[in-house]
Amino acid sequence: MSEDHQIIVTVNGQKYQRHVEPRLLLSDFLRHHLSLTGTHVGCEQGVCGSCTILLEGEPVRSCLLFAVQADGRNLTTVEGLSDHNGTEAGRMHPLQEAFWEAHGLQCGFCTPGFLMSLLPFLEENPSPSEQEVREAISGNLCRCTGYQHIVDAVMLAAGNMIAKDGSEES
Amino acid sequence: MKPAPFKYTSPSTITAALDLLAENAYDAKLLAGGQSLIPAMNFRLTQPAMLIDLNRLDKLDYVRVANNNTVQIGAMTRQRTLERNQLIRDMLPLMSETLPFIAHSQIRNRGTIGGSLAHADPAAELPAILVALQGRLRLRNRMRERWVPAEAFFKGIFTTDLAPDEIIVEVEFPSISKGDGWSFLEFSRRKGDYALMGVAALLTVDSQGVCRSARLVYLNSGEVPTVASLATGLLEGEKPSGILFEAVARVAASDVIAPTANIHASVPYLRHLAYSLTKRALEVAHSRALASVET
Ligand SMILES: Cc1cc2nc3c(=O)[nH]c(=O)nc-3n(C[C@H](O)[C@H](O)[C@H](O)COP(=O)(O)OP(=O)(O)OC[C@H]3O[C@@H](n4cnc5c(N)ncnc54)[C@H](O)[C@@H]3O)c2cc1C
Protein backbone atom coordinates (compact mmCIF):
# COMPACT_ATOMS: atom_id res chain seq x y z
CA MET A 1 0.00 0.00 0.00
CA SER A 2 2.83 2.41 0.75
CA GLU A 3 5.98 1.21 -0.98
CA ASP A 4 9.44 2.39 0.01
CA HIS A 5 11.16 5.20 -1.81
CA GLN A 6 14.86 5.52 -2.40
CA ILE A 7 16.23 8.87 -1.30
CA ILE A 8 19.63 10.51 -1.40
CA VAL A 9 20.18 13.27 1.14
CA THR A 10 23.22 15.26 2.11
CA VAL A 11 23.49 15.81 5.84
CA ASN A 12 26.34 17.93 7.20
CA GLY A 13 28.16 17.52 3.92
CA GLN A 14 27.87 13.73 3.85
CA LYS A 15 25.72 11.91 1.31
CA TYR A 16 23.38 9.15 2.45
CA GLN A 17 21.30 6.80 0.32
CA ARG A 18 18.43 5.03 2.07
CA HIS A 19 15.06 3.40 1.48
CA VAL A 20 12.22 4.96 3.44
CA GLU A 21 8.52 4.51 3.94
CA PRO A 22 6.67 7.71 2.93
CA ARG A 23 5.22 8.23 6.40
CA LEU A 24 8.65 8.36 8.04
CA LEU A 25 9.15 11.81 9.53
CA LEU A 26 12.44 13.52 8.74
CA SER A 27 13.17 13.82 12.48
CA ASP A 28 12.82 10.04 12.93
CA PHE A 29 14.86 9.42 9.78
CA LEU A 30 17.76 11.47 11.16
CA ARG A 31 17.64 9.78 14.54
CA HIS A 32 16.80 6.16 13.71
CA HIS A 33 18.13 5.67 10.19
CA LEU A 34 21.21 7.89 10.26
CA SER A 35 21.85 7.65 14.04
CA LEU A 36 22.14 11.42 14.22
CA THR A 37 20.48 11.67 17.61
CA GLY A 38 21.46 15.28 18.23
CA THR A 39 18.15 16.34 16.69
CA HIS A 40 15.65 15.97 19.50
CA VAL A 41 11.96 15.21 19.22
CA GLY A 42 9.55 16.97 21.56
CA CYS A 43 5.97 17.75 20.62
CA GLU A 44 5.84 16.45 17.02
CA GLN A 45 3.39 19.21 16.13
CA GLY A 46 5.76 22.05 15.32
CA VAL A 47 5.33 23.96 18.57
CA CYS A 48 8.37 23.21 20.75
CA GLY A 49 11.18 23.71 18.23
CA SER A 50 13.53 21.05 19.58
CA CYS A 51 13.69 19.22 16.21
CA THR A 52 14.69 22.36 14.27
CA ILE A 53 17.30 21.68 11.57
CA LEU A 54 18.48 23.58 8.49
CA LEU A 55 17.02 22.67 5.10
CA GLU A 56 19.10 24.40 2.42
CA GLY A 57 20.29 26.78 5.14
CA GLU A 58 16.83 27.74 6.43
CA PRO A 59 15.58 26.58 9.83
CA VAL A 60 12.59 24.23 9.64
CA ARG A 61 10.83 21.71 11.88
CA SER A 62 12.08 18.24 10.98
CA CYS A 63 8.94 16.73 12.62
CA LEU A 64 6.78 18.49 10.00
CA LEU A 65 8.53 17.12 6.94
CA PHE A 66 8.60 13.59 5.57
CA ALA A 67 12.01 12.06 4.90
CA VAL A 68 10.98 11.43 1.25
CA GLN A 69 10.64 15.19 0.84
CA ALA A 70 14.33 15.64 1.64
CA ASP A 71 15.41 13.65 -1.42
CA GLY A 72 18.17 15.55 -3.21
CA ARG A 73 18.35 18.24 -0.52
CA ASN A 74 21.03 19.57 1.80
CA LEU A 75 20.45 19.38 5.54
CA THR A 76 22.43 20.61 8.52
CA THR A 77 21.90 19.21 11.99
CA VAL A 78 23.52 20.11 15.29
CA GLU A 79 26.20 17.46 14.61
CA GLY A 80 27.40 19.64 11.74
CA LEU A 81 27.91 22.70 13.92
CA SER A 82 31.40 22.01 15.15
CA ASP A 83 32.61 22.01 11.55
CA HIS A 84 30.63 25.05 10.63
CA ASN A 85 32.55 28.11 9.40
CA GLY A 86 35.62 25.92 9.01
CA THR A 87 36.19 25.41 12.74
CA GLU A 88 38.36 22.32 13.23
CA ALA A 89 36.41 19.11 13.70
CA GLY A 90 35.81 18.35 17.36
CA ARG A 91 35.95 21.96 18.39
CA MET A 92 32.71 23.61 19.31
CA HIS A 93 31.16 26.36 17.25
CA PRO A 94 31.45 29.80 18.92
CA LEU A 95 27.68 29.70 19.44
CA GLN A 96 27.99 26.41 21.33
CA GLU A 97 30.92 27.76 23.31
CA ALA A 98 28.89 30.80 24.30
CA PHE A 99 25.98 28.59 25.47
CA TRP A 100 28.47 26.69 27.63
CA GLU A 101 30.14 29.86 28.90
CA ALA A 102 26.92 31.74 29.72
CA HIS A 103 24.95 28.79 31.12
CA GLY A 104 22.56 28.84 28.17
CA LEU A 105 21.44 25.30 28.96
CA GLN A 106 20.58 23.11 31.89
CA CYS A 107 19.09 19.79 30.82
CA GLY A 108 20.06 20.46 27.21
CA PHE A 109 17.04 18.87 25.57
CA CYS A 110 15.99 22.02 23.72
CA THR A 111 19.54 23.19 22.95
CA PRO A 112 20.04 21.66 19.48
CA GLY A 113 16.84 23.36 18.29
CA PHE A 114 17.92 26.70 19.72
CA LEU A 115 21.34 26.42 18.10
CA MET A 116 19.91 25.55 14.69
CA SER A 117 17.43 28.44 14.84
CA LEU A 118 20.14 30.86 15.93
CA LEU A 119 22.83 29.94 13.44
CA PRO A 120 21.14 31.46 10.37
CA PHE A 121 19.79 34.28 12.54
CA LEU A 122 23.31 35.38 13.54
CA GLU A 123 24.48 35.08 9.94
CA GLU A 124 21.74 37.51 8.92
CA ASN A 125 22.07 39.74 12.00
CA PRO A 126 25.68 39.64 13.24
CA SER A 127 25.05 42.23 15.96
CA PRO A 128 21.45 41.83 17.09
CA SER A 129 19.70 43.71 19.88
CA GLU A 130 18.44 41.77 22.87
CA GLN A 131 14.90 42.30 21.60
CA GLU A 132 15.79 40.81 18.23
CA VAL A 133 17.33 37.80 19.97
CA ARG A 134 14.14 37.27 21.97
CA GLU A 135 12.12 37.43 18.76
CA ALA A 136 14.52 34.96 17.10
CA ILE A 137 14.13 32.38 19.87
CA SER A 138 10.37 32.81 20.20
CA GLY A 139 9.81 29.59 18.23
CA ASN A 140 11.83 27.46 20.65
CA LEU A 141 10.66 26.38 24.09
CA CYS A 142 12.99 25.92 27.05
CA ARG A 143 11.66 24.68 30.39
CA CYS A 144 14.87 25.14 32.43
CA THR A 145 16.65 28.42 31.87
CA GLY A 146 13.89 31.02 31.88
CA TYR A 147 15.57 32.17 28.65
CA GLN A 148 17.69 34.90 30.25
CA HIS A 149 20.91 32.87 30.05
CA ILE A 150 20.08 31.88 26.50
CA VAL A 151 19.76 35.53 25.53
CA ASP A 152 23.05 36.24 27.32
CA ALA A 153 24.70 33.39 25.44
CA VAL A 154 23.54 34.70 22.06
CA MET A 155 24.78 38.21 22.84
CA LEU A 156 28.11 36.75 23.94
CA ALA A 157 28.33 34.58 20.81
CA ALA A 158 27.56 37.53 18.55
CA GLY A 159 30.33 39.59 20.17
CA ASN A 160 32.82 36.72 20.02
CA MET A 161 32.01 35.91 16.40
CA ILE A 162 32.47 39.53 15.32
CA ALA A 163 35.77 39.78 17.25
CA LYS A 164 36.94 36.54 15.67
CA ASP A 165 36.02 37.68 12.14
CA GLY A 166 37.86 40.93 12.79
CA SER A 167 41.03 39.19 13.98
CA GLU A 168 40.95 36.83 10.99
CA GLU A 169 40.76 39.75 8.59
CA SER A 170 43.63 41.70 10.17
CA MET B 1 5.43 5.75 13.31
CA LYS B 2 3.05 8.58 13.87
CA PRO B 3 1.11 9.04 10.64
CA ALA B 4 -0.91 6.22 9.08
CA PRO B 5 0.55 4.73 5.87
CA PHE B 6 -0.05 6.53 2.59
CA LYS B 7 1.12 6.50 -0.99
CA TYR B 8 3.45 9.37 -1.81
CA THR B 9 3.53 11.15 -5.16
CA SER B 10 5.44 14.26 -6.13
CA PRO B 11 4.41 15.40 -9.60
CA SER B 12 6.72 17.81 -11.40
CA THR B 13 4.05 19.60 -13.44
CA ILE B 14 0.73 21.20 -12.54
CA THR B 15 -0.99 19.08 -15.20
CA ALA B 16 0.35 15.90 -13.63
CA ALA B 17 -0.77 17.07 -10.18
CA LEU B 18 -4.26 17.86 -11.49
CA ASP B 19 -4.50 14.44 -13.19
CA LEU B 20 -3.47 12.66 -9.99
CA LEU B 21 -5.98 14.68 -8.01
CA ALA B 22 -8.79 14.02 -10.50
CA GLU B 23 -8.15 10.28 -10.33
CA ASN B 24 -7.90 10.17 -6.53
CA ALA B 25 -10.03 13.12 -5.48
CA TYR B 26 -11.65 11.42 -2.50
CA ASP B 27 -8.58 9.65 -1.06
CA ALA B 28 -5.79 12.08 -1.82
CA LYS B 29 -4.61 15.22 -0.03
CA LEU B 30 -2.42 17.93 -1.45
CA LEU B 31 0.74 18.54 0.55
CA ALA B 32 1.97 22.14 0.47
CA GLY B 33 4.05 23.43 3.41
CA GLY B 34 2.71 20.61 5.57
CA GLN B 35 2.57 22.90 8.60
CA SER B 36 -1.13 22.18 9.21
CA LEU B 37 -1.52 18.87 7.39
CA ILE B 38 1.44 17.01 8.93
CA PRO B 39 0.53 17.85 12.56
CA ALA B 40 -2.99 16.57 11.79
CA MET B 41 -1.49 13.40 10.29
CA ASN B 42 0.87 12.96 13.25
CA PHE B 43 -2.20 12.93 15.49
CA ARG B 44 -3.99 10.68 12.97
CA LEU B 45 -6.78 13.22 12.86
CA THR B 46 -6.51 12.73 9.13
CA GLN B 47 -5.34 9.60 7.31
CA PRO B 48 -5.22 10.30 3.60
CA ALA B 49 -4.50 7.26 1.42
CA MET B 50 -2.34 9.36 -0.88
CA LEU B 51 -0.34 12.58 -0.67
CA ILE B 52 0.23 14.69 -3.74
CA ASP B 53 3.27 16.75 -2.83
CA LEU B 54 3.18 20.14 -4.56
CA ASN B 55 6.70 21.09 -3.48
CA ARG B 56 8.27 20.29 -6.83
CA LEU B 57 6.00 22.77 -8.60
CA ASP B 58 8.49 25.63 -8.70
CA LYS B 59 6.20 27.31 -11.21
CA LEU B 60 3.74 28.05 -8.39
CA ASP B 61 6.33 30.02 -6.44
CA TYR B 62 6.28 33.65 -7.60
CA VAL B 63 5.25 37.21 -6.82
CA ARG B 64 4.50 39.37 -9.83
CA VAL B 65 2.69 42.55 -10.80
CA ALA B 66 -0.08 42.58 -13.41
CA ASN B 67 -1.62 45.72 -14.96
CA ASN B 68 0.46 47.93 -12.65
CA ASN B 69 -2.00 47.66 -9.79
CA THR B 70 -2.50 43.97 -9.09
CA VAL B 71 -0.19 41.60 -7.27
CA GLN B 72 -0.33 37.94 -8.22
CA ILE B 73 1.15 35.34 -5.91
CA GLY B 74 1.72 31.68 -6.79
CA ALA B 75 0.01 29.30 -4.35
CA MET B 76 3.27 27.61 -3.33
CA THR B 77 4.98 30.84 -2.31
CA ARG B 78 6.20 30.49 1.28
CA GLN B 79 4.98 32.85 3.98
CA ARG B 80 8.63 33.67 4.75
CA THR B 81 9.33 34.58 1.11
CA LEU B 82 6.38 36.98 1.15
CA GLU B 83 7.56 38.49 4.43
CA ARG B 84 10.94 39.30 2.87
CA ASN B 85 9.57 40.50 -0.49
CA GLN B 86 10.02 44.20 -1.30
CA LEU B 87 7.17 44.23 -3.81
CA ILE B 88 4.78 42.99 -1.12
CA ARG B 89 6.12 45.65 1.26
CA ASP B 90 5.45 48.39 -1.30
CA MET B 91 2.18 47.21 -2.82
CA LEU B 92 0.56 45.13 -0.06
CA PRO B 93 1.87 46.68 3.17
CA LEU B 94 -1.08 45.26 5.12
CA MET B 95 0.07 41.75 4.22
CA SER B 96 3.70 42.57 5.07
CA GLU B 97 2.67 43.86 8.46
CA THR B 98 0.61 40.73 9.16
CA LEU B 99 2.98 37.94 8.09
CA PRO B 100 5.30 38.05 11.15
CA PHE B 101 2.26 37.29 13.33
CA ILE B 102 1.89 33.87 11.69
CA ALA B 103 3.52 31.20 13.86
CA HIS B 104 7.34 31.35 13.95
CA SER B 105 9.95 31.90 11.26
CA GLN B 106 10.72 28.15 11.18
CA ILE B 107 7.05 27.47 10.33
CA ARG B 108 6.84 30.33 7.83
CA ASN B 109 9.89 28.91 6.03
CA ARG B 110 7.61 26.03 4.94
CA GLY B 111 4.03 27.32 5.19
CA THR B 112 2.55 28.57 1.91
CA ILE B 113 -0.09 31.15 1.06
CA GLY B 114 -2.15 28.55 -0.83
CA GLY B 115 -2.05 26.10 2.07
CA SER B 116 -3.04 28.71 4.60
CA LEU B 117 -6.05 29.82 2.52
CA ALA B 118 -7.13 26.25 1.68
CA HIS B 119 -6.89 25.25 5.33
CA ALA B 120 -9.30 28.10 6.24
CA ASP B 121 -8.69 28.15 9.97
CA PRO B 122 -10.93 30.88 11.44
CA ALA B 123 -7.96 31.96 13.61
CA ALA B 124 -5.55 32.27 10.67
CA GLU B 125 -4.29 35.63 9.47
CA LEU B 126 -4.04 35.24 5.69
CA PRO B 127 -7.74 34.45 5.09
CA ALA B 128 -8.63 37.69 6.93
CA ILE B 129 -6.09 39.62 4.85
CA LEU B 130 -7.45 38.18 1.59
CA VAL B 131 -10.97 39.23 2.60
CA ALA B 132 -9.80 42.65 3.83
CA LEU B 133 -8.03 43.40 0.55
CA GLN B 134 -10.87 41.89 -1.51
CA GLY B 135 -8.54 39.64 -3.40
CA ARG B 136 -9.48 36.55 -5.39
CA LEU B 137 -8.24 33.03 -5.98
CA ARG B 138 -7.54 31.18 -9.20
CA LEU B 139 -8.62 27.55 -8.90
CA ARG B 140 -7.88 24.85 -11.43
CA ASN B 141 -9.00 21.32 -12.07
CA ARG B 142 -8.12 19.09 -14.97
CA MET B 143 -10.77 20.62 -17.25
CA ARG B 144 -10.98 24.30 -16.47
CA GLU B 145 -10.06 27.17 -14.23
CA ARG B 146 -12.20 29.65 -12.34
CA TRP B 147 -11.75 32.74 -10.21
CA VAL B 148 -13.41 32.98 -6.81
CA PRO B 149 -13.63 36.24 -4.85
CA ALA B 150 -12.35 36.10 -1.28
CA GLU B 151 -15.68 36.37 0.48
CA ALA B 152 -17.25 33.58 -1.60
CA PHE B 153 -14.30 31.27 -0.97
CA PHE B 154 -14.60 30.85 2.81
CA LYS B 155 -17.65 28.75 3.68
CA GLY B 156 -17.15 27.74 7.28
CA ILE B 157 -14.61 26.40 9.77
CA PHE B 158 -11.92 24.63 7.69
CA THR B 159 -14.37 24.70 4.78
CA THR B 160 -13.94 26.45 1.44
CA ASP B 161 -15.42 26.57 -2.03
CA LEU B 162 -12.65 24.25 -3.32
CA ALA B 163 -14.01 21.17 -5.08
CA PRO B 164 -12.21 17.88 -4.31
CA ASP B 165 -10.46 17.96 -7.69
CA GLU B 166 -9.35 21.60 -7.54
CA ILE B 167 -6.03 23.21 -6.67
CA ILE B 168 -5.48 26.86 -5.76
CA VAL B 169 -2.85 27.95 -8.25
CA GLU B 170 -2.75 31.70 -7.69
CA VAL B 171 -3.99 34.42 -5.37
CA GLU B 172 -4.49 37.97 -6.60
CA PHE B 173 -4.61 41.18 -4.58
CA PRO B 174 -5.27 44.78 -5.61
CA SER B 175 -2.34 47.02 -4.76
CA ILE B 176 -2.55 49.88 -2.29
CA SER B 177 -3.14 53.33 -3.80
CA LYS B 178 -2.87 56.95 -2.72
CA GLY B 179 -5.11 57.76 0.22
CA ASP B 180 -5.11 54.21 1.62
CA GLY B 181 -4.11 53.52 5.20
CA TRP B 182 -3.81 50.10 6.79
CA SER B 183 -3.18 48.35 10.06
CA PHE B 184 -3.19 44.82 11.43
CA LEU B 185 -3.25 44.10 15.14
CA GLU B 186 -3.82 40.92 17.10
CA PHE B 187 -3.57 39.59 20.60
CA SER B 188 -2.17 36.15 21.38
CA ARG B 189 -1.13 34.64 24.69
CA ARG B 190 2.41 33.97 23.54
CA LYS B 191 4.33 35.26 20.54
CA GLY B 192 3.58 32.97 17.58
CA ASP B 193 0.47 31.35 19.02
CA TYR B 194 -2.76 31.54 17.09
CA ALA B 195 -4.38 34.84 18.04
CA LEU B 196 -7.32 35.08 20.43
CA MET B 197 -8.51 38.11 18.48
CA GLY B 198 -7.22 40.05 15.51
CA VAL B 199 -8.33 42.79 13.16
CA ALA B 200 -7.28 44.17 9.79
CA ALA B 201 -8.25 47.80 9.18
CA LEU B 202 -8.24 49.67 5.88
CA LEU B 203 -9.25 53.26 5.49
CA THR B 204 -9.20 55.52 2.43
CA VAL B 205 -9.29 59.30 2.61
CA ASP B 206 -9.51 61.91 -0.15
CA SER B 207 -7.27 64.98 -0.41
CA GLN B 208 -9.57 66.82 2.05
CA GLY B 209 -9.10 64.08 4.66
CA VAL B 210 -12.67 62.83 4.24
CA CYS B 211 -13.06 59.08 4.64
CA ARG B 212 -14.17 57.56 1.31
CA SER B 213 -14.24 53.94 2.39
CA ALA B 214 -13.25 51.80 5.31
CA ARG B 215 -13.04 48.10 6.02
CA LEU B 216 -12.63 46.08 9.19
CA VAL B 217 -12.09 42.32 9.01
CA TYR B 218 -11.78 40.08 12.08
CA LEU B 219 -10.25 36.68 12.64
CA ASN B 220 -11.56 34.26 15.25
CA SER B 221 -14.86 36.12 15.31
CA GLY B 222 -17.07 33.66 13.52
CA GLU B 223 -16.68 30.68 11.20
CA VAL B 224 -15.08 32.78 8.45
CA PRO B 225 -13.28 36.14 8.33
CA THR B 226 -15.88 38.62 9.54
CA VAL B 227 -16.43 41.91 7.71
CA ALA B 228 -17.84 44.71 9.89
CA SER B 229 -19.51 46.87 7.24
CA LEU B 230 -22.26 47.88 9.66
CA ALA B 231 -19.58 49.56 11.77
CA THR B 232 -17.42 51.05 9.01
CA GLY B 233 -20.50 52.64 7.40
CA LEU B 234 -20.27 55.20 10.22
CA LEU B 235 -16.94 56.43 8.88
CA GLU B 236 -17.85 57.03 5.26
CA GLY B 237 -18.18 60.71 4.33
CA GLU B 238 -16.79 61.81 7.71
CA LYS B 239 -13.56 63.42 8.79
CA PRO B 240 -12.88 60.79 11.41
CA SER B 241 -11.60 61.45 14.92
CA GLY B 242 -10.95 59.49 18.09
CA ILE B 243 -14.58 59.65 19.25
CA LEU B 244 -15.87 58.27 15.99
CA PHE B 245 -13.27 55.47 16.06
CA GLU B 246 -14.49 54.54 19.53
CA ALA B 247 -18.09 54.41 18.30
CA VAL B 248 -17.14 52.28 15.30
CA ALA B 249 -15.09 49.94 17.50
CA ARG B 250 -18.03 49.59 19.91
CA VAL B 251 -20.48 48.67 17.15
CA ALA B 252 -18.06 46.19 15.58
CA ALA B 253 -17.11 44.57 18.88
CA SER B 254 -20.59 44.29 20.35
CA ASP B 255 -22.95 43.99 17.36
CA VAL B 256 -21.03 42.50 14.45
CA ILE B 257 -18.54 39.87 15.51
CA ALA B 258 -19.56 36.54 17.01
CA PRO B 259 -16.55 35.16 18.87
CA THR B 260 -16.87 31.91 20.79
CA ALA B 261 -15.54 31.43 24.30
CA ASN B 262 -12.58 29.14 24.82
CA ILE B 263 -10.58 27.93 27.79
CA HIS B 264 -8.47 31.10 27.75
CA ALA B 265 -11.04 33.79 27.04
CA SER B 266 -14.70 34.53 27.70
CA VAL B 267 -16.91 36.22 25.10
CA PRO B 268 -16.98 39.58 26.94
CA TYR B 269 -13.19 39.50 27.14
CA LEU B 270 -12.89 38.71 23.43
CA ARG B 271 -15.27 41.58 22.62
CA HIS B 272 -13.20 43.85 24.83
CA LEU B 273 -10.06 42.82 22.94
CA ALA B 274 -11.81 43.48 19.64
CA TYR B 275 -12.88 46.93 20.84
CA SER B 276 -9.37 47.94 21.95
CA LEU B 277 -7.62 46.50 18.91
CA THR B 278 -10.12 48.12 16.52
CA LYS B 279 -9.73 51.55 18.03
CA ARG B 280 -5.96 51.35 17.78
CA ALA B 281 -5.99 49.84 14.30
CA LEU B 282 -8.29 52.57 12.98
CA GLU B 283 -6.07 55.28 14.44
CA VAL B 284 -2.97 53.81 12.83
CA ALA B 285 -4.72 53.25 9.47
CA HIS B 286 -6.10 56.78 9.55
CA SER B 287 -2.75 58.44 10.22
CA ARG B 288 -1.14 56.39 7.45
CA ALA B 289 -3.95 57.38 5.05
CA LEU B 290 -3.52 61.07 5.89
CA ALA B 291 0.26 60.79 5.47
CA SER B 292 -0.20 59.31 2.03
CA VAL B 293 -2.36 62.21 0.75
CA GLU B 294 -0.02 64.80 2.27
CA THR B 295 2.99 63.58 0.30
C1 LIG C 1 3.25 25.65 15.74
C2 LIG C 1 2.40 26.23 14.63
C3 LIG C 1 1.84 27.48 14.82
C4 LIG C 1 1.04 28.04 13.81
N1 LIG C 1 0.51 29.28 14.01
C5 LIG C 1 -0.21 29.85 13.04
C6 LIG C 1 -0.75 31.16 13.20
O1 LIG C 1 -0.54 31.83 14.22
N2 LIG C 1 -1.49 31.67 12.19
C7 LIG C 1 -1.73 30.96 11.04
O2 LIG C 1 -2.40 31.47 10.16
N3 LIG C 1 -1.23 29.74 10.86
C8 LIG C 1 -0.47 29.17 11.82
N4 LIG C 1 0.02 27.90 11.60
C9 LIG C 1 -0.32 27.18 10.36
C10 LIG C 1 0.61 27.53 9.20
O3 LIG C 1 0.42 28.88 8.81
C11 LIG C 1 0.35 26.60 8.00
O4 LIG C 1 1.50 26.73 7.20
C12 LIG C 1 -0.86 26.88 7.16
O5 LIG C 1 -2.04 26.85 7.90
C13 LIG C 1 -1.03 25.81 6.07
O6 LIG C 1 -0.18 26.05 5.02
P1 LIG C 1 0.73 24.91 4.45
O7 LIG C 1 1.36 25.42 3.21
O8 LIG C 1 1.63 24.44 5.52
O9 LIG C 1 -0.34 23.80 4.03
P2 LIG C 1 -0.48 22.25 4.33
O10 LIG C 1 -0.39 21.97 5.77
O11 LIG C 1 0.42 21.49 3.42
O12 LIG C 1 -1.97 22.03 3.82
C14 LIG C 1 -3.09 22.51 4.53
C15 LIG C 1 -4.36 22.11 3.77
O13 LIG C 1 -4.50 22.86 2.58
C16 LIG C 1 -4.56 22.00 1.45
N5 LIG C 1 -3.81 22.68 0.38
C17 LIG C 1 -2.53 23.11 0.47
N6 LIG C 1 -2.18 23.77 -0.65
C18 LIG C 1 -3.26 23.77 -1.46
C19 LIG C 1 -3.51 24.31 -2.75
N7 LIG C 1 -2.58 25.00 -3.44
N8 LIG C 1 -4.74 24.12 -3.30
C20 LIG C 1 -5.68 23.44 -2.61
N9 LIG C 1 -5.50 22.92 -1.38
C21 LIG C 1 -4.30 23.08 -0.81
C22 LIG C 1 -3.95 20.70 1.90
O14 LIG C 1 -4.44 19.63 1.16
C23 LIG C 1 -4.40 20.65 3.35
O15 LIG C 1 -5.70 20.21 3.45
C24 LIG C 1 0.82 27.33 12.59
C25 LIG C 1 1.41 26.06 12.41
C26 LIG C 1 2.19 25.51 13.41
C27 LIG C 1 2.79 24.15 13.19
Side-chain angles (χ1 to χ4, degrees):
Chain A
M1 151 173 202
S2 73
E3 70 269 26
D4 283 4
H5 290 247
Q6 182 188 295
I7 60 168
I8 299 175
V9 271
T10 305
V11 186
N12 306 325
Q14 192 178 331
K15 242 188 196 155
Y16 298 88
Q17 182 177 327
R18 291 289 187 281
H19 288 269
V20 296
E21 218 188 314
R23 62 175 168 152
L24 181 67
L25 297 173
L26 183 56
S27 45
D28 291 335
F29 173 72
L30 291 168
R31 292 177 56 82
H32 303 304
H33 291 231
L34 303 188
S35 302
L36 294 170
T37 52
T39 300
H40 293 170
V41 169
C43 69
E44 302 195 275
Q45 48 177 302
V47 177
C48 77
S50 65
C51 71
T52 304
I53 61 159
L54 304 186
L55 169 67
E56 307 293 354
E58 297 273 14
V60 297
R61 305 295 201 223
S62 61
C63 74
L64 298 186
L65 274 158
F66 294 110
V68 277
Q69 296 186 276
D71 185 27
R73 313 294 296 273
N74 272 299
L75 311 179
T76 312
T77 65
V78 71
E79 287 89 348
L81 260 191
S82 56
D83 287 317
H84 203 83
N85 282 342
T87 322
E88 288 163 45
R91 282 197 50 194
M92 285 195 290
H93 186 276
L95 183 59
Q96 290 171 306
E97 262 172 25
F99 264 66
W100 180 34
E101 199 68 42
H103 306 289
L105 65 146
Q106 288 177 30
C107 85
F109 192 86
C110 67
T111 313
F114 271 89
L115 296 172
M116 299 322 283
S117 297
L118 285 164
L119 192 68
F121 168 72
L122 285 177
E123 272 163 19
E124 237 178 277
N125 309 276
S127 43
S129 68
E130 197 179 309
Q131 193 48 47
E132 286 166 335
V133 172
R134 287 189 182 276
E135 169 81 31
I137 61 172
S138 66
N140 292 81
L141 294 180
C142 172
R143 297 275 99 131
C144 302
T145 60
Y147 303 101
Q148 187 54 50
H149 291 319
I150 294 180
V151 176
D152 295 346
V154 184
M155 298 307 278
L156 179 67
N160 287 348
M161 284 160 78
I162 286 175
K164 191 167 156 287
D165 282 356
S167 68
E168 269 169 14
E169 273 158 33
S170 58
Chain B
M1 271 182 259
K2 297 220 118 187
F6 58 86
K7 189 173 154 59
Y8 175 79
T9 59
S10 59
S12 52
T13 64
I14 300 171
T15 318
L18 289 168
D19 285 345
L20 271 169
L21 189 58
E23 285 150 21
N24 302 279
Y26 290 93
D27 320 307
K29 274 244 163 230
L30 301 169
L31 175 62
Q35 304 300 289
S36 293
L37 183 56
I38 301 181
M41 290 175 68
N42 283 351
F43 284 117
R44 300 208 180 185
L45 291 172
T46 176
Q47 306 187 6
M50 176 194 269
L51 284 191
I52 303 171
D53 188 350
L54 303 179
N55 284 283
R56 283 175 66 200
L57 305 183
D58 297 336
K59 279 199 172 144
L60 291 184
D61 177 2
Y62 58 84
V63 178
R64 66 185 179 208
V65 179
N67 312 319
N68 284 326
N69 56 6
T70 305
V71 182
Q72 297 177 330
I73 303 174
M76 284 301 291
T77 312
R78 314 271 170 201
Q79 294 155 352
R80 189 79 169 146
T81 307
L82 295 172
E83 182 182 350
R84 290 172 164 161
N85 187 292
Q86 191 57 45
L87 211 84
I88 302 284
R89 242 170 255 156
D90 296 340
M91 297 181 77
L92 305 176
L94 176 67
M95 184 190 288
S96 269
E97 181 160 280
T98 306
L99 285 158
F101 286 100
I102 303 173
H104 311 286
S105 58
Q106 298 94 331
I107 311 284
R108 298 196 294 277
N109 273 332
R110 296 297 300 168
T112 65
I113 186 167
S116 188
L117 297 172
H119 191 54
D121 189 323
E125 286 84 359
L126 286 173
I129 296 306
L130 183 69
V131 169
L133 293 173
Q134 296 175 276
R136 55 180 192 152
L137 304 100
R138 186 147 70 97
L139 312 184
R140 267 183 71 180
N141 70 6
R142 185 149 61 163
M143 314 298 291
R144 61 181 164 75
E145 72 166 49
R146 65 188 177 113
W147 285 95
V148 182
E151 279 182 66
F153 182 72
F154 299 103
K155 297 282 189 201
I157 300 177
F158 303 124
T159 311
T160 68
D161 197 43
L162 270 171
D165 65 345
E166 282 179 320
I167 296 182
I168 303 173
V169 288
E170 185 176 87
V171 196
E172 189 182 88
F173 298 85
S175 162
I176 192 167
S177 43
K178 202 179 164 89
D180 291 344
W182 70 93
S183 176
F184 178 83
L185 290 173
E186 71 170 41
F187 184 81
S188 61
R189 294 174 63 241
R190 284 174 308 209
K191 166 79 201 156
D193 280 8
Y194 276 102
L196 288 175
M197 178 55 63
V199 62
L202 286 168
L203 200 146
T204 306
V205 299
D206 63 19
S207 55
Q208 311 306 311
V210 174
C211 175
R212 285 293 152 218
S213 66
R215 213 164 153 77
L216 287 169
V217 180
Y218 294 83
L219 55 80
N220 239 355
S221 298
E223 294 202 350
V224 296
T226 304
V227 187
S229 27
L230 183 70
T232 47
L234 297 172
L235 287 165
E236 280 152 31
E238 302 289 333
K239 270 195 175 176
S241 65
I243 295 169
L244 189 53
F245 292 145
E246 279 173 24
V248 172
R250 202 166 298 120
V251 172
S254 52
D255 300 339
V256 178
I257 62 169
T260 38
N262 59 59
I263 183 171
H264 303 298
S266 64
V267 169
Y269 175 62
L270 291 169
R271 290 193 191 280
H272 174 75
L273 279 178
Y275 169 76
S276 305
L277 294 172
T278 306
K279 212 170 57 166
R280 269 186 262 157
L282 283 172
E283 268 155 18
V284 173
H286 184 228
S287 62
R288 283 172 171 164
L290 289 179
S292 98
V293 287
E294 273 159 19
T295 53

